[in-house]
Amino acid sequence: MIDGHMHLENGPLTKEYVLSFVEAAKQKGLDEIQILDHTHRFIEFEPIYEELKQYEVQKVWLENKKMKFKDHISDFIQLMEDIKKMDLPVKVTYGLEVCYVPQHEEYIRKVLSQYHFDFIVGAIHSIDGILYDMSFSKELLWDKYDVNHIYKRYYELVFQLVESDLFTQLAHPDTIKLFNIYPTYDLLPTYEKLAQLLNQHHMKAENNVGCYYRYNHQDLGLSDELLKVFKKAHVQLITTSDAHQPSDVGSYIKEAVQRIESISLDD
C-alpha cells in the first residue's frame, strides 16, 4: 500500500522528523510513502502567492514566517536524498505540492527546472486570488460569489494545470466540495473531460482522504461519481492521506483501497 501525499510543514527539516513519518508508515503496514511539502514553505516560490496578499486575512496567513517561505528547496532535497540512502522499512520518495497559478506558470516552470524530484504534484488551492479551503473562505468566496461560477472556474484551473505538463500527479481533484457546497449543474461532463486530460498527459489522480478526516466530509476520497468516471477511463489512481503530522500517516488508506476495488461501475 502507498500513501502518496504527506507534508513535513508542521515540523523542521531534520532526519529525526522525517523518520517519524517513516515509522508511522511502518506501523500502518504501508509499503511506500511520498513526502511533499507545499510550495509556500519555500522562499523560492513566494512570488506565486502575490495575488493572495490583496486580502488582509490571506496576507496575514502568508506572513507567518514560522510556516511560510522559511526554507530553501535545496535544503529539502539534500535532506530527502540523505533519507533515501538509509536502510528504511518502507520506500520513501519525495517531491513538491505546487500551488498552480496560471499567470505564474512560466515562473513555476523555471524554478522546477532547476531541481530534480521523484514526482511533482499540482494543486489548485485558490480561485483567482481567493483561497477556497480556509476558515475565512466562506466570507471571502463562498458567501460572495455564485457557486456554479466557483466550480466552473475551479475545474477550468484544474484543466490548465493538467495541460501545463508540469506535474506527474493531481492533488485532491474534487476537494472543492469540502464544505458540502455543490453546484446546480451536472458535473459528469466535467469529470469525463478531466479523466481524458489526465490520460492524455500521463498524470495520476489522487484518491485523497484528507477531506474525510480533516473536514468531516462524508466521501472517503473522491466522490462516487468521479471515482466511477476515473475507473471507467482507467485513470491511474494513487491513495493519499494528506497527512500533516506523523500520526495521520496512512489514515484510511486501507479503507480507500478497498473502496476503489469494490465500487461498482454498473450503476
Side-chain angles (χ1 to χ4, degrees):
M1 289 191 300
I2 184 171
D3 186 342
H5 188 135
M6 62 189 65
H7 298 287
L8 305 176
E9 68 173 32
N10 288 316
L13 292 181
T14 63
K15 286 185 180 179
E16 292 75 17
Y17 192 56
V18 176
L19 291 176
S20 67
F21 283 76
V22 174
E23 178 60 26
K26 176 187 174 184
Q27 296 299 322
K28 291 288 182 69
L30 298 174
D31 304 301
E32 181 177 351
I33 58 173
Q34 293 187 166
I35 294 177
L36 52 145
D37 256 357
H38 289 287
T39 41
H40 59 58
R41 179 174 191 144
F42 300 105
I43 294 165
E44 292 84 354
F45 279 103
E46 187 166 5
I48 74 172
Y49 293 90
E50 198 60 36
E51 284 75 15
L52 297 185
K53 297 177 184 178
Q54 64 184 309
Y55 297 97
E56 184 63 22
V57 66
Q58 295 183 161
K59 185 172 182 284
V60 171
W61 179 74
L62 287 168
E63 289 175 346
N64 175 10
K65 291 299 182 181
K66 292 182 178 180
M67 298 284 289
K68 310 292 192 300
F69 316 120
K70 64 192 181 83
D71 295 302
H72 288 287
I73 298 169
S74 57
D75 294 329
F76 172 62
I77 291 175
Q78 185 59 60
L79 170 64
M80 295 309 305
E81 286 294 326
D82 290 344
I83 290 288
K84 288 176 66 175
K85 292 174 184 175
M86 300 174 68
D87 183 18
L88 301 172
V90 298
K91 181 180 179 181
V92 177
T93 57
Y94 70 93
L96 293 175
E97 180 177 357
V98 180
C99 288
Y100 177 75
V101 187
Q103 59 266 42
H104 296 294
E105 181 176 315
E106 290 311 309
Y107 181 85
I108 294 169
R109 190 181 305 277
K110 180 179 178 180
V111 174
L112 292 177
S113 70
Q114 299 174 50
Y115 307 95
H116 168 75
F117 299 97
D118 296 318
F119 58 89
I120 305 177
V121 177
I124 300 298
H125 285 112
S126 61
I127 308 294
D128 298 323
I130 307 176
L131 295 164
Y132 66 78
D133 58 352
M134 303 294 289
S135 59
F136 50 74
S137 296
K138 288 191 176 180
E139 181 179 353
L140 288 185
L141 182 71
W142 293 102
D143 293 344
K144 190 174 180 181
Y145 296 95
D146 176 70
V147 172
N148 286 355
H149 169 76
I150 294 170
Y151 265 79
K152 286 177 181 178
R153 184 62 180 141
Y154 172 79
Y155 281 107
E156 285 175 358
L157 293 168
V158 172
F159 295 161
Q160 285 182 262
L161 180 161
V162 175
E163 291 172 325
S164 73
D165 285 322
L166 286 168
F167 310 107
T168 59
Q169 186 171 311
L170 175 61
H172 37 67
D174 64 345
T175 194
I176 192 74
K177 69 189 179 185
L178 80 167
F179 293 126
N180 267 308
I181 301 172
Y182 296 95
T184 58
Y185 68 93
D186 184 7
L187 282 165
L188 181 60
T190 300
Y191 292 162
E192 291 173 340
K193 180 177 179 180
L194 178 55
Q196 181 183 36
L197 286 173
L198 287 166
N199 286 336
Q200 288 175 352
H201 294 269
H202 310 289
M203 280 182 66
K204 297 177 183 178
E206 292 183 0
N207 186 71
N208 187 310
V209 300
C211 279
Y212 178 74
Y213 72 92
R214 294 176 63 208
Y215 294 93
N216 298 311
H217 194 279
Q218 67 270 18
D219 291 343
L220 188 63
L222 299 168
S223 69
D224 285 350
E225 184 178 34
L226 183 52
L227 181 54
K228 288 176 182 178
V229 168
F230 281 175
K231 285 194 68 175
K232 285 181 179 179
H234 304 290
V235 171
Q236 188 173 359
L237 296 170
I238 182 168
T239 49
T240 63
S241 70
D242 216 325
H244 282 63
Q245 54 195 10
S247 60
D248 289 333
V249 170
S251 293
Y252 302 98
I253 293 296
K254 185 180 294 184
E255 293 86 346
V257 170
Q258 292 171 344
R259 177 170 173 257
I260 291 171
E261 292 174 347
S262 64
I263 195 163
S264 174
L265 302 181
D266 298 326
D267 296 340

